Amino acid sequence: MVVAVSATLLGILVAVPLFRDTRPGAPFNQACAIAGTICLLMPAVFFFAKRGGAAKNPPLWFVLHAICGFMGIFLISIHVASVSALSPALVPLVALMFLVCQGFWVRAFLTRRLSFLFARSPKSFDFGTALPDNRAAIGAVIEQKTALLAMLDPQANEATFSPRLRHWLRAPLKALRYDLLARREAALVGARARAGFVLSYARQLHIAVAAIFYLSLLAHVVVMLFFAGYAAKGGEVYWWHIANWGSK
Amino acid sequence: MTVAPDNPLSLLIDLERCIGCKSCEAACKQSNALGPHTYRNRVMWYGEGEEQTEQFRPALLDFLTVTCQQCERPACLRACPVTPKAISKDPITGVVQINEDRCTGCGECAVSCPYGAIGYNAEKHHAVKCDLCAHRRAEGDGPACASVCPTQAIQFGTRNDHIAKAKAEDRDVLDTDHFLQKPATVYFKRLGDRDKTAAEVPNLMADDAARANLTSDVQHGTFDRATREQAEEAPAIKHKGGCNICFNACPITYELRDGKVTNIYGTKDDPIFGGRICPKSQMTLQMYGNPDRLLTPLKRVGERGSGQFEEISWDQALVEIAAKLTQVRDQYGPEALAIQAGSRTGVLNIMGAVPLFADLWGTGNLAATEPFCDLGKSVSLELTQGSTMLANVYTPEDIGSAGMYVYIGDNQAETRPVNFGLMNNWRLQNKAKLVVVDPRQTVTASKADEWLAIRPGTDMALGLAMIHHILSNALQDQHFCDTWMEGFEDWRDYIFAKGYDADWAAPITDLPAEKIRKLAEEIARVDGCMIYLSRGVNQHTNSAQTNRVYQFLVAITGNYGRRGGGYFNVSSEPDWKYPEVPTSRKPQTRPAISKNPADWVGAMLGEAQYPIRAMITGNNPLGQWPNLNRARRAVKGLDLVVHMDLFRNATSDHADYVLPMASGIEKGGTTRFAEDRRIVWNDKLIDPPGEARSDHWFWIELGKRFGFDDILKDRYKDPRVLWDEVVAPTTPGVRGITTKRLIEQPSRWMRIPAKDEDSIAPDTLYLEGTTAFDAPEGHRFPTPSGKLEFFTPTLEGRFAAMGLTALPEFYTEKPSAHLAPTLRYSGEDVVSSFFHADTYAEKGTLVAPSDRPVVSEFDTELVTGRPPAPHFHSWTHYFWQAQEMWPQLYCQIHPKKADALGIADGDEVLVRTENGEVKVRAWRYAGIRENAIFIPIGWDEKQPYHPAESVNKLTGLALDPISQQPNLKLHMCNLSKV
C-alpha cells in the first residue's frame, strides 16, 4: 500500500509539471484519460463482482481495485495537468481525489480502530449505563422482514439474509424495502452508533462518492463527445482526434 | 454432547469464577496465531462506580470475557457485503465462522456486532472472530480458552447443557439478548449480582494509544501466521513438563514441531490441574526465540550504567571474570564476592551449582529471592513445626473440604490463579465462606464474601486479637492445645496480660472490633479453616512473628495437621541442605553480611564488617532491591559486576559482563516447589538461542578456572546428573525424587517428602497418629519436642539475642508509630541463630508508641506488590502479549484521594517518598484504603515496550531482625498530578 501510494504521488508530482503546458484534449492527454478511465472502471467491477458472486478471491479484487485507483488517478493527472479554471468537469476529478485519499486513509489508519472496537460494548452485557429496551420494536421489524422475505426470496432465512445483487436487479423495490427495514433494525440495535459515525459510515461514504464520481465521469464523457461546442465555450474543438483519423 | 440446530455449540462464561487473568486471551492468540490488537476474545476489567465506597464492601471489581456470542441471527453475517458471504453459520453446530480468504476487510461485520465481538487484523486487513477453535474441534478437542481457564470460568458445550447446569446449580443467567440476535453464549451472573450501571473500565486497560507501539514487528514464532503454517507442515511432538516462571509449577505440555516450540498448553490429563494454566505459562512461547534475547556474552566498554557493550566470546568472558575475581579475593578476601541467584536461575543452581561454587570459593554472601518473598515464613515454620514443608495439598479431600478460607495478605487469584481456581470451585461447590484481609480489594478479595481493608503491617494485631477472643470465650481446641503445643500457656497468659483484645486491635488495624470478633468466632467454629498468608504478611519487619501468631491461631483452632484446615504461606519447600564440600576444600570464611542481598549494599559502600567488591547476579536486583537509588550507587562502585540473564535489563547496564542465559526447556531441570509440595521435571527440549548457556554450565566453567572441577564436575552440566547426584541426595525430603521417577510420572511431577525411590509422599502431613518425615517415632511434628513449639527457653534465648522475645509482642512499621510499638535498630550486629549459615543481623529493640502521629509531607500509605496475573517480575515485560494486557506502571488510588489531588483516571502522577520518586499512571479504584495507594513491582526503565522506573526507588530498607525480610508493604509517600 505504501509503495503504491508513494509511486502514485511521485508519478503525479513528476507528471503535472511535465504536462502543464499541454492541453487536456491533446492526443497523449486524451489517451491517458481513456486509459485512466478504463483503470477506474475496475473499482466498479470490483463492487459488482463482490456482490454478484463473481469474485472467487475478493481480497485480490480489492487489491486490484486499489491499484487501479492509484493508476487511474496518475493517468488522469496527466490528462488534467494543465487545467486551471473551474468547470463542471472538475467534479469527477475532485470526487476521484477524495476517493483515493479517503480510501487510503480508511485502509491504512481507520481500520486500526476497527480492532479497538473489540470488547467495547459493555452495555450489551449489563455493564455501564443501561441500554434502551428496544426489543419490542426490533421484534416488530423482524416480523416485517420475515413477511417481506417470503416475497423477496422465499427460500431464504431471515436470520442470515441480506439483499444480494440479484435481489436488487430482480426486485429492486422489495430489496429496497427490505434494506430499509434492515437499516431500521440496525438503528434499533445501535451497534453502529456505539462504534462511532466515522467508523460506521466511512465505507458508505466511499461508495456514495464513488457513485458521484462515476455519474459525473459519464456526464463529462457525454458532454465532451456530444456537446463539444458547449464544452469548448465557442473555442476550438480540438479533441475529436479519432474522428479526424485518416481525414488527410 | 448432542449438537442440533436448536442446541448449538457455545461457551459458558461464569462471571463468578472469572478472575480476569486473561489466560483465555493468551490461549486464543497462541492457538489462532493472532498478533497484537487482534482479538477473538478479550477480558475487560470493570471497577465499581466511585460513589460505591461503602467500607468493607466486597465485589468492587468485575471481569467480563467478551467473545463471539455465536448468534442464531448473527448481525455480522447479515452485514457482510460479499457474495457468497465471507461469514457463514454452520447449520448443525451453529458456529459462526469467518472465511478470511473471502474477507475484504471492509469492517461492516465489526461495526454491526452489538457485542463488540468481531476482531480485526489491521495488518492483514480482514475480520477475525471466534469459531470455537474449529481447527481444534476438528481433532476432537475443544476451544483453547476453555482448556486453560484456571478457574473453569469458561466451559465448552451446548447451550442446552449450559442452561441445564444453571438450573442444577441455581445460577442466574445473564440476559444478553437485548437485540433478539439469540446469542448462544451463556453467561452465569455473579452470585448476589448487583446493578453495575456505574461500572467503568480503567483508562489503563482501554487506552489503545498506550499500546500503539505493539505492531506486527513484535510478533515472532507461532504468532506469525506464515511461520506457523509452515511449522504445521511438520508433525507435532508433545512433551510434558512444568511451567518454570513462578512457584506454582503448573503442569504443561510443550508442543514441538521441527524442533521448535509451537504451542504451550496445560497438561489436560493431569489429575488435579486438568490443563488449567495461567497466561504466563503460555507466554513463555514469547521467551523462546524472542528477538530481544541475549545471544552472546557482552563486555562493558562505556562508563558503568551507560549501557555500552561489545560482544566477546565465552572463553574471554570466563577468563576475564576469573582474573578479576582473583584480584578481588587477593585484595579483600573471598567473602568480597556476593552471589544472587534468582527465580529464573532455577533450583538446580540455587541448591546445587551455586552453593557448591560459593563453598569452594569461600563466600557466604549467597542469596536467592527468598529473603524478599517468604523468608519470614520459612524461619517461623522451622521454629514452630520444625520443617518448611506445609501440611496441605490441593485435593478435594484436603483443601477442597475446608469449611472456610481466610486469605491474609495473599492475593492468590492474581499470583497463583490456578490454585485459586481450584479453591474457588471447591468453595462454591461446598458453599464455604471466603474472607480476605488486605489493604486493597485485590482480585482475590473481589470474590470474597467479606473483605477487611486492614492497615498495612498490622496483621499480627488482628491475629492476636482473634486469639484473645477465641481463648477468652473458650472456643479453642483444648485437646490440641494441651497435646500438641509447646508454650501454649505462655502465649495465652502473655496475650491476656498485654490486653491484645479486639478493642485494642481495632484502632491499630483500622478494622471494627466487632468484625474481628466475628471472624475469630467463625474460624474457631467452622469445621476446617484454611488460613492463607503471603507477601502481605511476609514483607514486613514483623514478618516472622506475624507468621508465628497465625500458626498459633491455626493450632488453637485445631486446624493444624488436618484435612480441610491449615496454615498456608507460599511456597512449600523441602528442608533444604546445601551439598557438602569437604572441609579441607572450604576456605575459612567470615559470616555473611546479611541474609538479605539488599542489605549487602552497606558492605558495598564500605559500611559493614568487611567490604563486598564483586557481585555475580541473575535476575534484576537493580530493579528489585529496596532503596534502589542507594543500591545503584553502591553497585556502581564495585570492582566486578556480572549479570546473567535472558534479556538486558536495568541490572545489565550496571554490569561489566552480561552473559546470555538459557531458561526452561532450553536447559532442562526442575521447576520450583509449589505450595502443595510438588516439583515438576522439564527435559531439555530445544537449544538455547545464540551462545546462551545454562546457569550451571557457567558455574562449572567458572569453577574450572579455579580448579573446582573435581567437585563441581563437568558432568553436572547434564541437568539430570546434577539433580540425581548433587541436589536430591543432599536433602532428605527429595532423596527419593529421582529424575527417573519424575520422568515416569504422567505429568512429570511428584510431591515431597520421599526419602527413597520406593517412597510416595503422603497427601496431608502432620495428621494425628502419624510420625513426621525424618522424625523420631511418635513425633507428629519434626520439632525436638514433637509438638508445635511456640515458647521454650531455647527459643526465648534465640529471640532475646536479637533484642526481641519469643512471646508474641506486637510491633509494627514506623508510619504507625503513634498506634503501637515499633522497631528501633540497635546498630549492633550479631551472628543470627535463625539461619543455617553464619550470618550477621542487626539487633532490634521495641520502642513505645509515640504520643501523636508523625507530621510529614509524606502522608499517604504506599503498598507495593505483584501486578495482575500476566506479569511476573521483570521477564514478562519482554513478552509483547503481557504488554498488551497490562502495559504501563500504575498506581491504584482511591477516588476520594484522587479528587482531593485533582487526579483523573489515567493521569500521569508523580509519587515521592524520602527515598526517591517515580512517575506512574493513575487508576482510580474504590477498592483500596482511602489513604493508600498501590504500585506494582516488575517494571524498570530498560524494558523494551513500556519502560518505567522501578517502584523500589520509593521503598526503603528496614529488615525483620529475625528473618531479615524487608518491609515492602508500607512506606509513606505523597503524590501529585504531573
Side-chain angles (χ1 to χ4, degrees):
Chain A
M1 176 92 77
V2 173
V3 173
V5 171
S6 305
T8 306
L9 268 176
L10 188 66
I12 291 171
L13 288 172
V14 170
V16 169
L18 205 63
F19 293 92
R20 177 155 292 153
D21 297 332
T22 61
R23 295 195 294 180
F28 184 75
N29 301 47
Q30 195 178 66
C32 287
I34 292 166
T37 302
I38 291 168
C39 284
L40 292 170
L41 287 175
M42 177 61 205
V45 177
F46 162 66
F47 179 87
F48 289 111
K50 178 177 166 180
R51 283 159 181 77
K56 279 190 178 168
N57 186 346
L60 178 64
W61 281 78
F62 178 89
V63 173
L64 289 175
H65 121 274
I67 290 173
C68 288
F70 288 128
M71 285 169 58
I73 196 167
F74 165 68
L75 292 165
I76 296 297
S77 72
I78 295 172
H79 171 60
V80 302
S82 63
V83 172
S84 56
L86 289 173
S87 80
L90 289 178
V91 172
L93 179 64
V94 171
L96 177 60
M97 288 167 63
F98 175 85
L99 287 170
V100 171
C101 295
Q102 190 242 10
F104 171 69
W105 174 72
V106 167
R107 200 63 167 184
F109 301 105
L110 192 67
T111 49
R112 173 72 65 192
R113 284 169 52 188
L114 282 172
S115 66
F116 297 154
L117 281 181
F118 198 92
R120 299 295 171 82
S121 300
K123 293 175 187 174
S124 305
F125 302 92
D126 288 358
F127 281 82
T129 50
L131 288 165
D133 188 358
N134 291 335
R135 288 183 216 225
I138 294 171
V141 173
I142 293 170
E143 276 182 25
Q144 291 176 55
K145 283 171 69 184
T146 307
L148 184 57
L149 189 59
M151 295 182 280
L152 180 62
D153 190 340
Q155 305 303 316
N157 178 355
E158 185 280 332
T160 55
F161 177 81
S162 54
R164 310 281 79 194
L165 188 59
R166 63 188 172 88
H167 299 108
W168 288 101
L169 294 175
R170 288 177 190 167
L173 283 177
K174 288 191 183 75
L176 179 63
R177 278 176 57 203
Y178 196 93
D179 189 63
L180 290 174
L181 284 170
R183 286 174 190 275
R184 168 82 181 131
E185 183 191 352
L188 289 165
V189 168
R192 282 181 181 274
R194 289 193 288 277
F197 182 84
V198 173
L199 208 52
S200 290
Y201 295 103
R203 188 176 144 275
Q204 271 89 337
L205 179 66
H206 192 76
I207 293 171
V209 176
I212 292 169
F213 166 72
Y214 284 118
L215 289 173
S216 56
L217 179 67
L218 181 65
H220 175 64
V221 172
V222 167
V223 167
M224 300 311 285
L225 288 179
F226 303 112
F227 303 95
Y230 166 77
K233 295 178 181 168
E236 178 193 3
V237 177
Y238 64 91
W239 54 84
W240 281 0
H241 311 294
I242 297 172
N244 291 337
W245 279 358
S247 61
K248 290 179 183 174
Chain B
M1 155 166 40
T2 309
V3 185
D6 60 347
N7 186 25
L9 290 176
S10 72
L11 293 178
L12 158 63
I13 296 170
D14 187 340
L15 301 180
E16 182 63 34
R17 285 182 164 83
C18 180
I19 54 170
C21 71
K22 294 174 176 274
S23 188
C24 52
E25 274 186 52
C28 182
K29 290 209 175 190
Q30 67 153 320
S31 181
N32 295 293
L34 304 176
H37 312 298
T38 308
Y39 297 100
R40 288 185 180 206
N41 69 359
R42 192 174 182 190
V43 184
M44 301 300 274
W45 287 37
Y46 289 86
E48 183 54 273
E50 296 176 0
E51 68 277 11
Q52 301 287 348
T53 53
E54 178 195 343
Q55 206 178 11
F56 309 126
R57 184 178 173 281
L60 292 166
L61 198 57
D62 279 294
F63 316 101
L64 175 65
T65 302
V66 177
T67 185
C68 177
Q69 304 297 296
Q70 313 295 351
C71 300
E72 191 179 318
R73 295 185 62 249
C76 57
L77 192 156
R78 294 195 302 275
C80 178
V82 181
T83 302
K85 287 182 182 285
I87 301 178
S88 61
K89 183 171 177 61
D90 188 297
I92 305 298
T93 64
V95 175
V96 181
Q97 275 185 289
I98 286 184
N99 181 346
E100 291 173 9
D101 293 336
R102 291 197 61 76
C103 177
T104 60
C106 68
E108 285 295 300
C109 51
V111 296
S112 301
C113 173
Y115 300 100
I118 301 286
Y120 191 84
N121 184 334
E123 307 279 350
K124 302 280 169 63
H125 295 288
H126 59 75
V128 294
K129 71 173 290 301
C130 170
D131 56 9
L132 298 174
C133 281
H135 60 295
R136 288 169 61 99
R137 285 190 287 117
E139 293 174 358
D141 209 338
C145 56
S147 80
V148 298
C149 180
T151 60
Q152 293 183 319
I154 303 180
Q155 293 174 36
F156 173 60
T158 66
R159 182 174 167 82
N160 288 354
D161 289 346
H162 301 327
I163 299 297
K165 187 178 170 70
K167 279 185 186 154
E169 295 181 7
D170 196 22
R171 298 292 303 276
D172 292 332
V173 172
L174 183 66
D175 176 8
T176 52
D177 196 11
H178 308 285
F179 320 104
L180 306 187
Q181 312 284 317
K182 298 186 183 172
T185 305
V186 175
Y187 286 83
F188 282 8
K189 286 183 177 183
R190 290 203 63 172
L191 298 171
D193 199 24
R194 64 193 192 284
D195 175 26
K196 291 196 283 284
T197 50
E200 288 173 355
V201 175
N203 193 300
L204 198 71
M205 175 156 278
D207 186 352
D208 300 314
R211 294 161 170 82
N213 60 344
L214 299 171
T215 63
S216 59
D217 296 343
V218 304
Q219 282 174 250
H220 57 87
T222 192
F223 294 93
D224 176 71
R225 173 150 290 211
T227 311
R228 182 188 177 82
E229 284 175 354
Q230 196 181 357
E232 281 177 352
E233 289 171 11
I237 301 169
K238 293 183 177 176
H239 298 267
K240 288 177 180 170
C243 179
N244 62 310
I245 287 200
C246 84
F247 27 72
N248 216 46
C250 296
I252 56 179
T253 299
Y254 299 94
E255 181 190 282
L256 271 72
R257 293 175 191 266
D258 201 18
K260 292 192 172 66
V261 198
T262 47
N263 281 114
I264 298 175
Y265 295 117
T267 299
K268 277 185 76 172
D269 50 5
D270 185 89
I272 293 177
F273 294 91
R276 305 157 168 205
I277 45 170
C278 85
K280 290 186 288 292
S281 307
Q282 303 174 64
M283 286 191 286
T284 52
L285 267 174
Q286 291 158 44
M287 175 179 75
Y288 300 118
N290 189 311
D292 289 333
R293 285 284 295 271
L294 288 162
L295 301 176
T296 54
L298 302 174
K299 180 183 179 182
R300 180 168 60 82
V301 292
E303 196 180 320
R304 186 170 273 162
S306 67
Q308 293 175 296
F309 294 90
E310 65 176 7
E311 293 183 0
I312 57 171
S313 68
W314 266 109
D315 192 51
Q316 184 185 344
L318 287 161
V319 166
E320 290 183 12
I321 290 167
K324 289 190 180 181
L325 283 175
T326 305
Q327 283 174 13
V328 167
R329 183 173 60 185
D330 291 348
Q331 195 170 348
Y332 303 103
E335 305 90 346
L337 168 65
I339 301 170
Q340 186 185 345
S343 51
R344 179 203 58 76
T345 318
V347 171
L348 283 178
N349 286 281
I350 295 171
M351 293 300 159
V354 175
L356 271 179
F357 180 90
D359 254 8
L360 288 161
W361 175 263
T363 180
N365 292 308
L366 171 69
T369 51
E370 191 188 22
F372 299 106
C373 298
D374 61 350
L375 194 52
K377 169 217 57 177
S378 300
V379 168
S380 65
L381 277 173
E382 285 182 351
L383 297 176
T384 307
Q385 69 169 32
S387 170
T388 52
M389 287 188 281
L390 295 170
N392 305 88
V393 292
Y394 284 91
T395 60
E397 299 77 25
D398 190 347
I399 292 175
S401 69
M404 184 174 182
Y405 301 89
V406 179
Y407 287 77
I408 301 169
D410 182 3
N411 181 12
Q412 191 185 38
E414 289 179 89
T415 54
R416 290 108 64 215
V418 177
N419 285 355
F420 180 82
L422 291 166
M423 184 287 301
N424 198 39
N425 280 357
W426 286 321
R427 70 118 186 159
L428 291 171
Q429 188 181 309
N430 301 334
K431 300 196 178 344
K433 188 168 184 179
L434 172 61
V435 177
V436 176
V437 180
D438 203 297
R440 69 186 177 113
Q441 191 172 109
T442 58
V443 173
T444 311
S446 76
K447 299 296 177 189
D449 299 291
E450 196 153 13
W451 166 51
L452 303 179
I454 195 169
R455 185 193 308 276
T458 64
D459 305 289
M460 185 177 168
L462 171 65
L464 289 167
M466 288 197 288
I467 292 166
H468 189 287
H469 186 71
I470 287 165
L471 297 177
S472 304
N473 293 278
L475 297 173
Q476 71 271 25
D477 179 340
Q478 196 59 49
H479 167 71
F480 191 95
C481 299
D482 294 340
T483 317
W484 298 111
M485 294 176 72
E486 194 73 38
F488 165 72
E489 291 84 2
D490 301 280
W491 272 51
R492 180 195 61 197
D493 297 346
Y494 184 80
I495 289 166
F496 283 153
K498 283 285 200 177
Y500 288 151
D501 61 11
D503 294 319
W504 161 82
I508 295 172
T509 58
D510 218 3
L511 300 175
E514 209 38 58
K515 292 263 182 191
I516 297 172
R517 282 190 277 265
K518 180 167 166 260
L519 181 58
E521 286 175 26
E522 285 174 336
I523 291 172
R525 292 203 162 111
V526 73
D527 180 15
C529 178
M530 287 296 304
I531 295 188
Y532 286 78
L533 311 183
S534 189
R535 309 323 186 218
V537 167
N538 297 344
Q539 292 176 337
H540 279 295
T541 55
N542 56 16
S543 175
Q545 288 291 58
T546 307
N547 273 284
R548 294 178 74 226
V549 163
Y550 281 97
Q551 285 162 0
F552 190 86
L553 174 68
V554 170
I556 63 168
T557 51
N559 281 306
Y560 226 116
R562 62 158 288 175
R563 294 186 180 90
Y567 156 91
F568 235 52
N569 191 329
V570 286
S571 56
S572 184
E573 302 274 341
D575 298 300
W576 286 114
K577 290 183 170 42
Y578 282 158
E580 282 293 322
V581 168
T583 315
S584 61
R585 296 295 303 278
K586 282 173 142 179
Q588 283 286 331
T589 56
R590 289 169 283 185
I593 290 291
S594 174
K595 191 71 179 167
N596 192 303
D599 199 26
W600 295 341
V601 165
M604 292 174 179
L605 293 169
E607 299 166 1
Q609 291 82 353
Y610 58 84
I612 286 176
R613 299 301 308 162
M615 179 170 71
I616 302 178
T617 180
N619 290 34
N620 189 16
L622 296 188
Q624 175 196 32
W625 288 357
N627 203 350
L628 197 53
N629 288 323
R630 182 168 183 259
R632 288 185 179 183
R633 280 198 302 278
V635 169
K636 272 190 177 173
L638 292 182
D639 297 331
L640 174 67
V641 180
V642 179
H643 182 226
M644 308 156 67
D645 219 320
L646 307 177
F647 304 96
R648 278 180 67 170
N649 58 30
T651 305
S652 315
D653 275 10
H654 290 74
D656 301 297
Y657 296 91
V658 180
L659 306 179
M661 290 292 129
S663 188
I665 56 171
E666 292 168 351
K667 63 177 183 178
T670 61
T671 62
R672 287 189 285 163
F673 276 93
E675 62 197 50
D676 61 343
R677 309 193 315 273
R678 276 181 311 104
I679 189 163
V680 193
W681 180 260
N682 277 320
D683 281 328
K684 179 180 183 297
L685 299 175
I686 58 172
D687 289 327
E691 295 174 34
R693 298 286 184 270
S694 66
D695 295 70
H696 51 277
W697 181 94
F698 166 78
W699 290 108
I700 291 164
E701 283 294 321
L702 187 64
K704 281 182 190 171
R705 271 70 182 173
F706 299 107
F708 299 162
D709 44 336
D710 57 330
I711 292 173
L712 192 51
K713 297 174 183 169
D714 197 62
R715 54 198 302 272
Y716 296 161
K717 286 178 181 170
D718 180 340
R720 290 184 64 169
V721 176
L722 183 54
W723 176 264
D724 287 334
E725 295 187 16
V726 178
V727 181
T730 313
T731 297
V734 296
R735 202 167 282 156
I737 313 282
T738 60
T739 57
K740 178 172 175 287
R741 288 187 83 189
L742 280 164
I743 288 166
E744 284 169 359
Q745 305 306 312
S747 298
R748 298 282 178 97
W749 63 257
M750 289 183 70
R751 281 209 182 93
I752 53 165
K755 67 178 174 185
D756 55 45
E757 284 213 68
D758 298 322
S759 304
I760 295 171
D763 280 354
T764 313
L765 300 183
Y766 318 126
L767 294 173
E768 185 146 29
T770 62
T771 297
F773 178 79
D774 226 19
E777 187 60 31
H779 276 215
R780 182 179 175 185
F781 299 98
T783 53
S785 64
K787 301 177 180 180
L788 296 174
E789 294 186 353
F790 290 95
F791 188 84
T792 65
T794 311
L795 270 180
E796 180 61 8
R798 294 171 70 185
F799 275 82
M802 300 311 303
L804 300 174
T805 169
L807 292 165
E809 184 174 13
F810 178 67
Y811 65 96
T812 184
E813 308 294 356
K814 284 215 161 46
S816 304
H818 59 293
L819 297 168
T822 51
L823 194 66
R824 179 189 293 152
Y825 297 100
S826 67
E828 180 192 351
D829 285 341
V830 295
V831 175
S832 172
S833 69
F834 292 100
F835 307 118
H836 297 284
D838 285 351
T839 306
Y840 290 119
E842 192 174 357
K843 281 176 72 171
T845 182
L846 299 189
V847 293
S850 57
D851 296 339
R852 62 181 79 87
V854 177
V855 177
S856 160
E857 60 175 312
F858 303 113
D859 59 355
T860 304
E861 297 163 0
L862 165 66
V863 181
T864 70
R866 283 270 301 276
H871 278 301
F872 188 75
H873 296 288
S874 63
W875 59 357
T876 50
H877 292 264
Y878 300 81
F879 305 166
W880 62 262
Q881 199 177 6
Q883 292 297 307
E884 184 181 46
M885 293 170 176
W886 290 102
Q888 294 171 308
L889 181 64
Y890 61 86
C891 83
Q892 286 179 324
I893 179 171
H894 196 280
K896 285 185 182 170
K897 181 98 189 167
D899 283 342
L901 297 167
I903 294 169
D905 192 46
D907 277 352
E908 195 177 19
V909 169
L910 181 71
V911 183
R912 291 174 59 240
T913 66
E914 60 185 7
N915 301 303
E917 59 184 44
V918 300
K919 283 181 190 160
V920 295
R921 284 193 78 179
W923 173 356
R924 290 168 65 110
Y925 177 48
I928 189 165
R929 285 167 55 80
E930 280 184 25
N931 193 39
I933 63 167
F934 169 81
I935 303 181
I937 60 170
W939 275 258
D940 83 35
E941 60 272 52
K942 296 296 176 187
Q943 290 160 352
Y945 299 116
H946 298 99
E949 289 162 299
S950 165
V951 69
N952 283 312
K953 287 193 170 179
L954 300 175
T955 55
L957 184 65
L959 301 179
D960 174 11
I962 305 303
S963 67
Q964 298 207 308
Q965 183 109 34
N967 162 32
L968 296 173
K969 296 296 188 195
L970 179 60
H971 289 81
M972 297 309 285
C973 69
N974 64 24
L975 61 166
S976 56
K977 184 175 170 177
V978 175

